[in-house]
Amino acid sequence: MEEPRKLYMVVPCYNEEEVLPETSRRLKEKYQSLIQRGLISGESRVVFVNDGSKDNTWQLICKLHESDPDFFSGIDLAHNAGHQNAVLAGLMTVKDLCDMAITMDADLQDDINTIDAMVEKYYEGNQVVYGVRSARDTDTFFKRFTAEGFYKFMKTMGADVVYNHADFRLMSSRVLQELAEFREVNLFLRGMVPLIGFKSCCVYYERAERFAGESKYPLKKMLAFAINGITSFSTKPLKLITGLGCLMSALSVVALAWAFIAKIGGFSEPGWSSTMCSIWLVGGLQLLCLGIIGEYIGKIYSEVKARPRYIIAEFKNKEK
């Protein structure tokens, strides 16, 4: 095997004080195993990204860095920038320091043992390795139904996403350099990474229950994330509005012809219900269409302002 490469692990954290001690312990054990096997360089490290946590997450990260500065690093964002921005902040910070980087959430739901297979796939020539869930047995029926529906709907909308893949992935430094060229403010990494291209593959694992703490993705955030993914990577909703407008116009012509024939035939009766139903239907469709258009206008508004996606307040790192 070729000379071991440097692996940086980017772990976004938001209010993770309950799980962080266990996450750091398991990651250190895994890294030591990988180093002993000659799969990664001894200069590899774990970088925790504090996404504006309100608890003691940053204090714990600082303690980890102080106790083992050769292994743990920390990035403190100036404010809560959101999960995707926190991931990107970590990746962009380490892109010139590593040969490959893996992103993983801090809740220990992603299988740490899958890292071995990811690194091996990297040495086989893959620039991107996606961690994909083999099953959703640990999810509730509602979570499983909505998640699977989301991936299928994204495919229908034309977005190139990997089915049952979240943000557990390995990327080479070459891919990170190309990712840095993507300047959009509205981030959806699950759709952006496949757009970069290069040789890629998937490794499969069983997702575990959250080790401790509460989920940071309630239903409201999940819906907002899904809407952001759809509107960031597909214009099909706008095309559907055009199609819907054509359909309503055609139906209006048919209704007009029917009303004219009924009037001439003398068998028409004025009806309040049919009038009100048609008004509510057309009004509802108009508001829906305006809402969809508004989502895209909001995206344009954010992109035009081009505000920083994240601001790093502090980077605790010891160069080797």
Side-chain angles (χ1 to χ4, degrees), residues 151-199:
Y151 286 108
K152 291 177 181 178
F153 187 68
M154 288 296 292
K155 283 287 188 181
T156 303
M157 289 292 101
D160 184 18
V161 295
V162 179
Y163 188 72
N164 272 343
H165 163 70
D167 288 294
F168 184 33
R169 70 179 73 86
L170 178 149
M171 289 178 283
S172 69
S173 57
R174 172 68 190 281
V175 173
L176 294 179
Q177 297 296 334
E178 298 300 330
L179 180 62
E181 298 300 317
F182 285 67
R183 302 298 183 180
E184 58 254 52
V185 174
N186 300 285
L187 293 178
F188 186 66
L189 294 174
R190 301 180 196 184
M192 291 169 64
V193 175
L195 283 178
I196 297 174
F198 295 109
K199 184 179 179 181

Side-chain angles (χ1 to χ4, degrees), residues 255-265:
L256 181 64
W258 174 81
F260 179 76
I261 294 172
K263 185 69 175 179
I264 296 298

Side-chain angles (χ1 to χ4, degrees), residues 32 43 51 66 71 109 126 142 152 156 209 211 221 236 239 263 290 305 308:
Q32 289 172 340
E43 297 182 358
D51 186 22
E66 291 169 2
F71 183 74
Q109 289 189 280
N126 293 284
F142 178 77
K152 291 177 181 178
T156 303
E209 295 283 355
F211 180 79
K221 282 192 175 182
K236 279 194 175 182
K239 296 177 181 178
K263 185 69 175 179
L290 286 174
K305 288 188 296 185

Side-chain angles (χ1 to χ4, degrees), residues 197-211:
F198 295 109
K199 184 179 179 181
S200 64
C201 68
C202 299
V203 295
Y204 298 88
Y205 69 99
E206 292 186 12
R207 192 171 172 85
E209 295 283 355
R210 184 180 178 86
F211 180 79

Side-chain angles (χ1 to χ4, degrees), residues 284-296:
L285 287 174
Q286 287 176 335
L287 289 175
L288 174 63
C289 294
L290 286 174
I292 294 174
I293 294 171
E295 284 290 333
Y296 282 93

